[in-house]
Amino acid sequence: MMSAPLSRRLAAEGVGTAVLAAVLVGSGIQASGLSPDGGVQLLANVLASVLALAVLIALLAPVSGGHFNPLVSAAAWWTDRRAGTGLTPRELGAYVLAQLGGAIVGVGLANVMFEHPFVELSGHQRASGHLWLAEGLATGVLILLVFGLLRSGRGRYAPVAVAAWIGAACWGTSSGSFANPALTFGRALSDTYTGIAPGSVPAFVLAQTAGAALGLSLVALLFGRRGPQPAPQHAPDDARELLAP
């Protein structure tokens, strides 16, 4: 099991998700205010977000795993459930709540920093089959990447690799690669460049969940299934070091 107290891990997940959400939404507001060009806006928003993501994973992975994403936490629990390491169901629920709370706080702070109300429901409708397909693809590859690196003993590359994939997926998918239910929910609370209408959130989250399930299936197919095994003495905990450099 993880050595850090649960309270410290939850604080790391909440703070990390809040900072990521604040940078994501804040950079979108900043970019849309500084340039009328959509391509420049997207470039600035994506660049700020992926840099923040890489830094936050590198900083907080040794404490909590650096998930900042309920589906990454759920996948970590699922892959480690037979080995008896990693998150318990109770801890998984607490992680998800911390991530959702962090996303709400981070989006609210970004709103306030740019003179918007703390909560301002988005009117940006994102409801179409091609967007749901894009979300499934972006999330599935994210899960494949994270757990493929972990399964092959290359988890130290995750901060750069995860940030690189999110950046590529933001440009290469029609949905802009939300790929994170917590941030998707948080973005519904900002009627700005990165927002999503509350009514569009459930379908996005369902698509992300389906993509995550597919990603886990691909991990098993490409890297083999992980069965029950005793933890060697002094071995690193998989869930704790899921995204550790």
Side-chain angles (χ1 to χ4, degrees):
M1 299 302 293
M2 297 183 187
S3 59
L6 179 60
S7 59
R8 187 182 301 166
R9 287 183 272 144
L10 295 180
E13 285 296 304
V15 169
T17 309
V19 173
L20 180 59
V23 172
L24 171 66
V25 173
S27 63
I29 298 173
Q30 184 84 286
S32 61
L34 292 176
S35 173
D37 186 278
V40 173
Q41 292 173 6
L42 180 60
L43 177 62
N45 182 226
V46 171
L47 180 60
S49 300
V50 299
L51 289 175
L53 179 59
V55 169
L56 289 167
I57 292 173
L59 174 65
L60 296 176
V63 180
S64 67
H67 302 173
F68 318 135
N69 185 331
L71 290 177
V72 173
S73 298
W77 163 74
W78 179 260
T79 57
D80 287 337
R81 71 194 188 285
R82 295 178 181 175
T85 62
L87 298 176
T88 65
R90 171 178 169 271
E91 290 174 330
L92 171 60
Y95 263 53
V96 172
L97 290 176
Q99 292 156 355
L100 287 170
I104 293 170
V105 171
V107 170
L109 290 174
N111 283 338
V112 172
M113 282 193 293
F114 290 92
E115 299 183 295
H116 290 265
F118 186 86
V119 172
E120 185 179 39
L121 295 182
S122 175
H124 192 168
Q125 298 291 333
R126 301 176 189 259
S128 182
H130 70 282
L131 300 180
W132 303 332
L133 174 62
E135 279 300 291
L137 173 63
T139 310
V141 176
L142 172 64
I143 296 299
L144 172 61
L145 172 65
V146 170
F147 291 91
L149 287 174
L150 177 64
R151 194 69 60 85
S152 60
R154 295 177 293 169
R156 63 187 180 278
Y157 298 121
V160 172
V162 169
W165 167 246
I166 293 299
C170 285
W171 280 94
T173 64
S174 58
S175 66
S177 182
F178 286 41
N180 183 328
L183 293 182
T184 302
F185 180 80
R187 289 164 71 161
L189 307 179
S190 182
D191 192 21
T192 59
Y193 176 77
T194 57
I196 177 173
S200 300
V201 170
F204 258 56
V205 172
L206 284 175
Q208 293 161 359
T209 303
L214 177 60
L216 280 176
S217 298
L218 290 174
V219 172
L221 174 65
L222 298 176
F223 297 93
R225 293 185 179 275
R226 179 174 182 174
Q229 49 186 305
Q233 188 176 11
H234 304 307
D237 179 81
D238 284 343
R240 179 184 174 189
E241 298 193 0
L242 171 65
L243 299 178

XYZ file of all heavy atoms in Angstrom, residues 102-177:
550
model
N -11.295 19.744 -6.726
C -10.189 20.543 -7.241
C -10.533 21.209 -8.551
O -10.198 22.381 -8.780
N -11.216 20.466 -9.434
C -11.603 21.043 -10.733
C -12.554 22.215 -10.543
O -12.423 23.251 -11.212
C -12.244 19.964 -11.606
N -13.512 22.087 -9.638
C -14.461 23.173 -9.390
C -13.747 24.405 -8.859
O -13.962 25.532 -9.335
C -15.549 22.714 -8.406
C -16.424 21.635 -9.047
C -16.403 23.893 -7.953
C -17.364 20.954 -8.074
N -12.870 24.203 -7.884
C -12.139 25.329 -7.293
C -11.226 25.978 -8.331
O -11.160 27.209 -8.451
C -11.331 24.859 -6.071
C -10.391 25.964 -5.589
C -12.269 24.450 -4.942
N -10.513 25.159 -9.109
C -9.593 25.704 -10.097
C -10.294 26.512 -11.172
O -9.843 27.604 -11.546
N -11.405 25.993 -11.672
C -12.171 26.729 -12.686
C -12.728 28.013 -12.091
O -12.688 29.084 -12.720
C -13.301 25.849 -13.252
C -14.249 26.679 -14.113
C -12.723 24.704 -14.069
N -13.233 27.943 -10.858
C -13.753 29.139 -10.215
C -12.694 30.208 -10.034
O -12.942 31.402 -10.271
N -11.505 29.794 -9.630
C -10.413 30.761 -9.468
C -10.032 31.393 -10.801
O -9.759 32.598 -10.870
C -9.197 30.070 -8.839
C -9.336 29.666 -7.372
C -8.106 28.874 -6.929
C -9.522 30.893 -6.487
N -9.992 30.592 -11.859
C -9.695 31.149 -13.179
C -10.756 32.164 -13.591
O -10.437 33.236 -14.121
C -9.597 30.028 -14.211
N -12.009 31.837 -13.347
C -13.086 32.776 -13.654
C -12.879 34.107 -12.933
O -12.947 35.187 -13.544
C -14.438 32.184 -13.244
C -14.951 31.132 -14.208
O -14.555 31.077 -15.372
N -15.848 30.284 -13.729
N -12.633 34.014 -11.640
C -12.495 35.224 -10.831
C -11.269 36.033 -11.247
O -11.299 37.271 -11.285
C -12.436 34.868 -9.341
C -12.104 36.091 -8.484
C -13.769 34.265 -8.885
N -10.172 35.351 -11.568
C -8.955 36.059 -11.979
C -9.192 36.935 -13.209
O -8.534 37.965 -13.387
C -7.824 35.066 -12.267
C -7.143 34.524 -11.040
S -5.603 33.655 -11.445
C -6.214 32.236 -12.349
N -10.131 36.511 -14.058
C -10.417 37.266 -15.284
C -11.763 37.978 -15.205
O -12.397 38.223 -16.228
C -10.335 36.335 -16.490
C -8.929 35.887 -16.803
C -8.425 34.714 -16.263
C -8.097 36.660 -17.599
C -7.131 34.304 -16.531
C -6.801 36.257 -17.874
C -6.305 35.078 -17.337
N -12.172 38.286 -13.974
C -13.346 39.121 -13.711
C -14.648 38.505 -14.216
O -15.534 39.207 -14.708
C -13.153 40.525 -14.296
C -11.955 41.262 -13.703
C -11.818 42.674 -14.247
O -11.572 42.828 -15.461
O -11.968 43.609 -13.446
N -14.766 37.195 -14.077
C -16.017 36.495 -14.318
C -16.559 36.015 -12.974
O -15.814 35.908 -12.002
C -15.788 35.287 -15.237
C -15.454 35.644 -16.651
N -16.395 35.709 -17.653
C -14.268 35.951 -17.232
C -15.810 36.036 -18.792
N -14.509 36.194 -18.570
N -17.826 35.676 -12.894
C -18.355 35.078 -11.664
C -17.641 33.762 -11.355
O -17.180 33.062 -12.271
C -19.835 34.849 -11.981
C -20.144 35.783 -13.099
C -18.890 35.903 -13.905
N -17.563 33.410 -10.080
C -16.905 32.157 -9.684
C -17.527 30.972 -10.416
O -16.821 30.081 -10.892
C -17.011 31.972 -8.168
C -16.244 30.798 -7.646
C -14.897 30.919 -7.316
C -16.858 29.561 -7.479
C -14.177 29.821 -6.836
C -16.151 28.467 -6.998
C -14.809 28.612 -6.672
N -18.834 30.939 -10.497
C -19.548 29.911 -11.259
C -20.364 30.602 -12.342
O -21.181 31.472 -12.061
C -20.479 29.072 -10.358
C -21.348 28.156 -11.210
C -19.672 28.257 -9.355
N -20.119 30.211 -13.590
C -20.804 30.798 -14.735
C -21.057 29.678 -15.737
O -20.145 29.274 -16.474
C -19.935 31.898 -15.356
C -20.590 32.664 -16.473
C -19.675 33.754 -17.020
O -18.450 33.513 -17.126
O -20.184 34.833 -17.341
N -22.253 29.119 -15.737
C -22.537 27.950 -16.553
C -22.284 28.232 -18.030
O -22.685 29.263 -18.562
C -23.986 27.510 -16.358
C -24.349 27.019 -14.944
C -25.809 26.573 -14.911
C -23.437 25.896 -14.486
N -21.606 27.297 -18.661
C -21.230 27.469 -20.060
C -22.432 27.264 -20.982
O -23.306 26.429 -20.732
C -20.140 26.467 -20.432
O -19.839 26.540 -21.809
N -22.451 28.002 -22.058
C -23.468 27.825 -23.090
C -22.923 27.175 -24.342
O -23.607 27.125 -25.367
N -21.684 26.657 -24.264
C -21.016 26.085 -25.429
C -21.452 24.638 -25.613
O -20.943 23.731 -24.960
C -19.499 26.176 -25.257
C -18.733 25.888 -26.506
N -17.391 26.135 -26.636
C -19.126 25.380 -27.700
C -16.988 25.781 -27.837
N -18.017 25.316 -28.492
N -22.399 24.402 -26.512
C -22.907 23.055 -26.749
C -21.864 22.216 -27.498
O -21.310 22.644 -28.508
C -24.202 23.118 -27.568
C -25.342 23.845 -26.881
C -25.893 23.091 -25.686
O -25.812 21.851 -25.628
N -26.459 23.821 -24.741
N -21.620 21.023 -26.972
C -20.708 20.073 -27.626
C -21.412 18.718 -27.616
O -21.116 17.868 -26.784
C -19.375 19.992 -26.883
C -18.610 21.323 -26.771
C -17.347 21.144 -25.942
N -16.679 22.395 -25.625
C -15.609 22.872 -26.255
N -15.099 22.201 -27.268
N -15.059 24.011 -25.881
N -22.341 18.533 -28.517
C -23.156 17.323 -28.541
C -23.258 16.799 -29.962
O -24.095 17.249 -30.745
C -24.548 17.607 -27.978
N -22.376 15.863 -30.297
C -22.373 15.282 -31.640
C -21.584 13.976 -31.614
O -20.639 13.837 -30.826
C -21.758 16.250 -32.644
O -21.787 15.715 -33.946
N -21.973 13.062 -32.454
C -21.325 11.759 -32.468
C -19.832 11.817 -32.739
O -19.054 11.060 -32.150
N -19.408 12.710 -33.637
C -17.982 12.753 -33.950
C -17.171 13.273 -32.755
O -16.013 12.894 -32.570
C -17.728 13.608 -35.194
C -17.943 15.067 -35.013
N -19.194 15.645 -35.000
C -17.070 16.099 -34.819
C -19.084 16.955 -34.823
N -17.807 17.249 -34.708
N -17.777 14.124 -31.918
C -17.084 14.603 -30.716
C -16.970 13.489 -29.680
O -15.937 13.356 -29.016
C -17.829 15.796 -30.119
C -17.980 17.022 -31.017
C -18.754 18.118 -30.283
C -16.610 17.549 -31.452
N -18.016 12.681 -29.550
C -17.969 11.570 -28.600
C -16.933 10.536 -29.043
O -16.211 9.977 -28.213
C -19.349 10.927 -28.485
C -20.414 11.902 -28.069
C -20.245 13.033 -27.310
C -21.797 11.858 -28.402
N -21.436 13.686 -27.145
C -22.416 12.998 -27.806
C -22.594 10.973 -29.136
C -23.785 13.249 -27.931
C -23.952 11.231 -29.260
C -24.540 12.352 -28.661
N -16.870 10.291 -30.340
C -15.845 9.374 -30.855
C -14.448 9.897 -30.536
O -13.565 9.143 -30.110
C -16.010 9.209 -32.366
C -14.938 8.391 -33.089
C -14.918 6.958 -32.573
C -15.170 8.423 -34.597
N -14.248 11.203 -30.732
C -12.949 11.809 -30.447
C -12.589 11.685 -28.973
O -11.434 11.398 -28.625
C -12.964 13.276 -30.868
N -13.568 11.890 -28.088
C -13.306 11.760 -26.655
C -12.936 10.331 -26.282
O -12.046 10.095 -25.459
C -14.522 12.213 -25.850
C -14.620 13.704 -25.697
C -13.410 14.278 -24.995
O -13.227 14.044 -23.790
O -12.628 14.973 -25.662
N -13.630 9.370 -26.861
C -13.292 7.974 -26.597
C -11.888 7.639 -27.048
O -11.127 6.966 -26.337
N -11.511 8.114 -28.232
C -10.177 7.864 -28.757
C -9.107 8.513 -27.885
O -8.118 7.868 -27.502
C -10.073 8.400 -30.183
C -8.678 8.371 -30.824
C -8.196 6.938 -30.958
C -8.691 9.078 -32.174
N -9.300 9.793 -27.552
C -8.300 10.509 -26.763
C -8.103 9.860 -25.398
O -6.970 9.695 -24.923
C -8.719 11.969 -26.596
N -9.203 9.461 -24.757
C -9.103 8.858 -23.431
C -8.523 7.456 -23.501
O -7.715 7.067 -22.649
C -10.483 8.815 -22.764
O -11.098 10.103 -22.836
C -10.360 8.419 -21.303
N -8.924 6.695 -24.501
C -8.402 5.340 -24.637
C -6.901 5.309 -24.829
O -6.194 4.506 -24.204
N -6.388 6.187 -25.679
C -4.940 6.229 -25.894
C -4.218 6.724 -24.639
O -3.127 6.251 -24.304
C -4.587 7.105 -27.111
C -3.073 7.234 -27.264
C -5.193 6.519 -28.381
N -4.838 7.663 -23.916
C -4.236 8.126 -22.666
C -4.063 6.972 -21.690
O -2.985 6.789 -21.095
C -5.115 9.217 -22.047
C -4.724 9.677 -20.633
C -3.351 10.344 -20.650
C -5.782 10.615 -20.060
N -5.100 6.160 -21.495
C -5.012 5.025 -20.576
C -4.002 3.999 -21.082
O -3.203 3.452 -20.303
C -6.402 4.384 -20.399
C -7.372 5.372 -19.736
C -6.301 3.105 -19.566
C -6.970 5.833 -18.358
N -4.006 3.728 -22.369
C -3.030 2.808 -22.949
C -1.613 3.307 -22.717
O -0.717 2.535 -22.355
C -3.299 2.650 -24.450
C -2.260 1.862 -25.262
C -2.144 0.438 -24.763
C -2.614 1.901 -26.751
N -1.402 4.586 -22.898
C -0.078 5.171 -22.726
C 0.401 5.052 -21.281
O 1.503 4.556 -21.011
C -0.107 6.633 -23.148
C 1.140 7.474 -22.862
C 2.315 6.955 -23.672
C 0.872 8.937 -23.174
N -0.437 5.487 -20.352
C -0.035 5.489 -18.937
C 0.263 4.079 -18.457
O 1.333 3.809 -17.888
C -1.140 6.125 -18.070
C -0.852 5.900 -16.585
C -1.261 7.616 -18.355
N -0.651 3.154 -18.693
C -0.486 1.818 -18.123
C 0.413 0.936 -18.979
O 0.990 -0.031 -18.480
C -1.853 1.201 -17.864
C -2.573 1.909 -16.753
C -3.421 2.982 -17.020
C -2.346 1.562 -15.433
C -4.044 3.664 -16.002
C -2.962 2.239 -14.403
C -3.809 3.294 -14.676
N 0.553 1.275 -20.251
C 1.559 0.586 -21.053
C 2.963 0.936 -20.589
O 3.834 0.060 -20.473
N 3.198 2.209 -20.297
C 4.498 2.609 -19.760
C 4.754 1.943 -18.408
O 5.861 1.460 -18.131
C 4.561 4.133 -19.608
C 4.676 4.953 -20.886
C 4.568 6.442 -20.573
C 5.987 4.661 -21.615
N 3.733 1.916 -17.577
C 3.888 1.298 -16.265
C 4.168 -0.192 -16.387
O 5.074 -0.722 -15.734
C 2.613 1.534 -15.443
C 2.579 0.899 -14.060
C 3.646 1.495 -13.159
C 1.202 1.061 -13.439
N 3.401 -0.877 -17.218
C 3.549 -2.319 -17.373
C 4.914 -2.690 -17.943
O 5.459 -3.751 -17.637
C 2.429 -2.847 -18.279
C 2.242 -4.348 -18.289
C 1.707 -4.873 -16.977
N 0.423 -4.312 -16.629
C -0.755 -4.771 -17.058
N -0.807 -5.803 -17.879
N -1.883 -4.207 -16.650
N 5.487 -1.809 -18.763
C 6.791 -2.107 -19.374
C 7.952 -1.525 -18.585
O 9.088 -1.532 -19.058
C 6.818 -1.573 -20.814
O 6.616 -0.166 -20.835
N 7.671 -1.006 -17.382
C 8.743 -0.508 -16.524
C 9.313 0.827 -16.949
O 10.446 1.155 -16.589
N 8.538 1.636 -17.682
C 9.026 2.930 -18.142
C 8.161 4.078 -17.633
O 8.003 5.101 -18.295
C 9.071 2.947 -19.674
C 10.080 1.961 -20.259
C 10.019 1.966 -21.769
N 8.741 1.430 -22.237
C 8.322 1.512 -23.499
N 9.074 2.113 -24.401
N 7.157 1.013 -23.846
N 7.639 3.917 -16.422
C 6.778 4.927 -15.845
C 7.446 6.278 -15.655
O 6.761 7.307 -15.593
N 8.782 6.289 -15.590
C 9.487 7.564 -15.401
C 9.293 8.510 -16.583
O 9.523 9.721 -16.460
C 10.972 7.302 -15.182
C 11.686 6.660 -16.362
C 13.115 6.282 -16.004
N 13.832 5.659 -17.107
C 13.735 4.373 -17.423
N 12.932 3.578 -16.730
N 14.416 3.872 -18.429
N 8.888 7.969 -17.725
C 8.677 8.823 -18.895
C 7.279 9.443 -18.928
O 6.975 10.235 -19.817
C 8.872 8.019 -20.185
C 10.265 7.462 -20.359
C 10.478 6.090 -20.485
C 11.376 8.310 -20.392
C 11.756 5.571 -20.640
C 12.648 7.800 -20.545
C 12.832 6.429 -20.669
O 14.091 5.928 -20.813
N 6.429 9.070 -17.991
C 5.023 9.469 -18.061
C 4.785 10.975 -18.042
O 3.915 11.448 -18.776
C 4.234 8.787 -16.950
N 5.479 11.779 -17.205
C 5.180 13.215 -17.235
C 5.281 13.829 -18.626
O 4.385 14.560 -19.053
C 6.225 13.804 -16.271
C 6.507 12.700 -15.313
C 6.450 11.442 -16.139
N 6.346 13.524 -19.333
C 6.518 14.064 -20.677
C 5.589 13.381 -21.668
O 4.952 14.042 -22.506
C 7.984 13.913 -21.129
C 8.130 14.287 -22.594
C 8.897 14.772 -20.269
N 5.466 12.056 -21.563
C 4.658 11.318 -22.529
C 3.180 11.675 -22.429
O 2.512 11.863 -23.455
C 4.849 9.807 -22.325
N 2.661 11.770 -21.212
C 1.250 12.107 -21.044
C 0.969 13.516 -21.554
O -0.007 13.755 -22.273
C 0.834 11.972 -19.565
C -0.543 12.574 -19.324
C 0.849 10.503 -19.151
N 1.830 14.466 -21.184
C 1.648 15.842 -21.658
C 1.738 15.900 -23.181
O 0.955 16.612 -23.833
C 2.686 16.754 -21.026
N 2.662 15.147 -23.761
C 2.812 15.149 -25.214
C 1.563 14.591 -25.893
O 1.100 15.133 -26.911
C 4.047 14.343 -25.619
N 1.008 13.491 -25.344
C -0.192 12.932 -25.961
C -1.366 13.894 -25.846
O -2.112 14.088 -26.815
C -0.572 11.586 -25.336
C -1.961 11.188 -25.744
C -3.064 11.075 -24.955
C -2.403 10.923 -27.092
N -4.173 10.751 -25.707
C -3.790 10.656 -27.030
C -1.768 10.889 -28.335
C -4.545 10.366 -28.154
C -2.521 10.602 -29.462
C -3.885 10.337 -29.372
N -1.562 14.505 -24.692
C -2.678 15.434 -24.543
C -2.534 16.598 -25.532
O -3.506 17.025 -26.162
C -2.771 15.951 -23.100
C -3.164 14.812 -22.159
C -3.774 17.087 -22.991
C -4.498 14.179 -22.459
N -1.316 17.109 -25.680
C -1.093 18.181 -26.644
C -1.404 17.742 -28.059
O -2.072 18.459 -28.820
N -0.952 16.546 -28.422
C -1.215 16.039 -29.768
C -2.706 15.800 -29.976
O -3.264 16.121 -31.037
C -0.433 14.743 -29.994
N -3.377 15.258 -28.958
C -4.795 14.949 -29.088
C -5.647 16.214 -29.136
O -6.698 16.229 -29.781
C -5.242 14.057 -27.931
N -5.215 17.278 -28.451
C -5.955 18.537 -28.529
C -6.021 19.052 -29.963
O -7.024 19.635 -30.395
C -5.305 19.585 -27.625
S -5.618 19.349 -25.864
N -4.938 18.844 -30.701
C -4.898 19.280 -32.097
C -5.459 18.225 -33.041
O -6.003 18.560 -34.100
C -3.464 19.602 -32.499
C -3.015 20.937 -32.036
C -2.344 21.237 -30.886
C -3.221 22.187 -32.700
N -2.120 22.587 -30.794
C -2.647 23.200 -31.891
C -3.834 22.554 -33.902
C -2.665 24.548 -32.246
C -3.856 23.898 -34.257
C -3.271 24.881 -33.433
N -5.322 16.960 -32.683
C -5.657 15.886 -33.616
C -7.035 15.296 -33.463
O -7.406 14.405 -34.233
N -7.818 15.753 -32.484
C -9.184 15.258 -32.334
C -10.177 16.414 -32.424
O -9.856 17.541 -32.049
C -9.374 14.536 -30.982
O -9.195 15.464 -29.909
C -8.388 13.387 -30.833
N -11.378 16.107 -32.882
C -12.381 17.154 -33.095
C -12.931 17.716 -31.791
O -13.432 18.849 -31.763
C -13.536 16.589 -33.933
O -14.119 15.466 -33.297
N -12.831 16.966 -30.691
C -13.402 17.417 -29.424
C -12.458 18.307 -28.636
O -12.866 18.948 -27.672
C -13.769 16.208 -28.559
O -12.599 15.504 -28.163
N -11.176 18.323 -29.018
C -10.187 19.060 -28.247
C -9.619 18.264 -27.097
O -8.875 18.798 -26.270
N -9.963 16.973 -27.008
C -9.376 16.050 -26.040
C -9.551 16.512 -24.595
O -8.601 16.829 -23.906
C -7.886 15.842 -26.341
O -7.310 14.920 -25.433
